[in-house]
Amino acid sequence: MAALLNGGSGADGSPETKTGLALGGGAVLGAAHVGVLKAMHELGFKPGFISGTSIGSFVAALYAFGMGWERIEALALELDWSDLSGLTLSEYGLLSNRKFGTLVNRLLGSCRIEDAPIPLAIVATDISTGSKVVFRDGDVATAVMASSSIPGIFRPVEYRGMLLVDGVLTENVPISPLREMGAGKVLCVDLLGRHTFNRPEHLATLLMNAFYSALRTLSELQIRNADLVITPDLSGFSMVDMSAVPAILAAGYAEAYPLLEAWIGQERPARS
């Protein structure tokens, strides 16, 4: 079904023939998403919809607005924590990720989600109510900042009367927005499924270990509805060590390529 695999519509033009890609959260482990995008490019796969949570929202936004995997890879290799965060005086967090929003604006300009060439959804959480918030329109940088605001580490983003934090709390691997957008097939990238949490080195890593490990079971339940789950083996990597980005990216590619190749072969009808 070539049209499906390219994210387009089938012979009947129905939305069921479109495929969505969900990119999950995991801080620095998000470099694996770039490896997945590389594998997709080499296999000629392009999704019709894309969604992201936390670091997945950043990669999803860049890709949805036309940035190729090569450029995203170059960016990932250049970034440092100081490019994404700064100290803040707030009762809600140690750091501000306003720099992250500034980076998105620098890369994409002042873009709105609804204008993305590939339909885009970004997931955050209203920490005041515990409700999931799905951005389908509005400022891209604001949505990425909100989706990536790890509670206790980053200051929440105030938006339309809500106090928004990391979407990992409600849907780490955002499959449901893709179904709601009309995706008939969904593939997802779960960064945490095989990750091993190590002894924390400082407060930030302690908070991140507690945050992400507590949500693993919820993610396992949510991704059961996906048609293909890509779970790279990232057990040997820290979620905060940016020097490991090249190896994490390679691990994402190594896991994704054979899985995607086999899945594409199953989806494509045999020639008569």
Side-chain angles (χ1 to χ4, degrees), residues 109-224:
S110 184
C111 293
R112 296 186 62 81
I113 294 171
E114 63 268 30
D115 296 329
I118 300 176
L120 170 66
I122 291 174
V123 174
T125 302
D126 182 357
I127 198 62
S128 299
T129 64
S131 301
K132 179 170 64 178
V133 177
V134 180
F135 285 88
R136 291 290 316 283
D137 57 23
D139 180 63
V140 175
T142 299
V144 170
M145 284 172 54
S147 183
S148 306
S149 293
I150 301 171
I153 297 180
F154 293 114
R155 184 177 64 190
V157 173
E158 296 191 44
Y159 180 77
R160 295 183 181 176
M162 297 179 290
L163 203 59
L164 300 181
V165 299
D166 205 313
V168 170
L169 283 170
T170 46
E171 193 167 8
N172 181 38
V173 186
I175 291 171
S176 66
L178 296 173
R179 298 293 190 192
E180 292 163 5
M181 293 162 75
K185 297 279 186 176
V186 169
L187 66 93
C188 69
V189 184
D190 178 12
L191 302 175
L192 303 178
R194 296 163 68 185
H195 181 64
T196 300
F197 294 91
N198 299 315
R199 182 184 177 89
E201 300 170 356
H202 42 66
L203 178 60
T205 52
L206 185 150
L207 291 171
M208 291 179 75
N209 278 8
F211 180 61
Y212 285 106
S213 62
L215 298 164
R216 179 178 287 172
T217 300
L218 176 61
S219 291
E220 290 174 354
L221 293 173
Q222 291 171 337
I223 64 177
R224 288 178 181 176

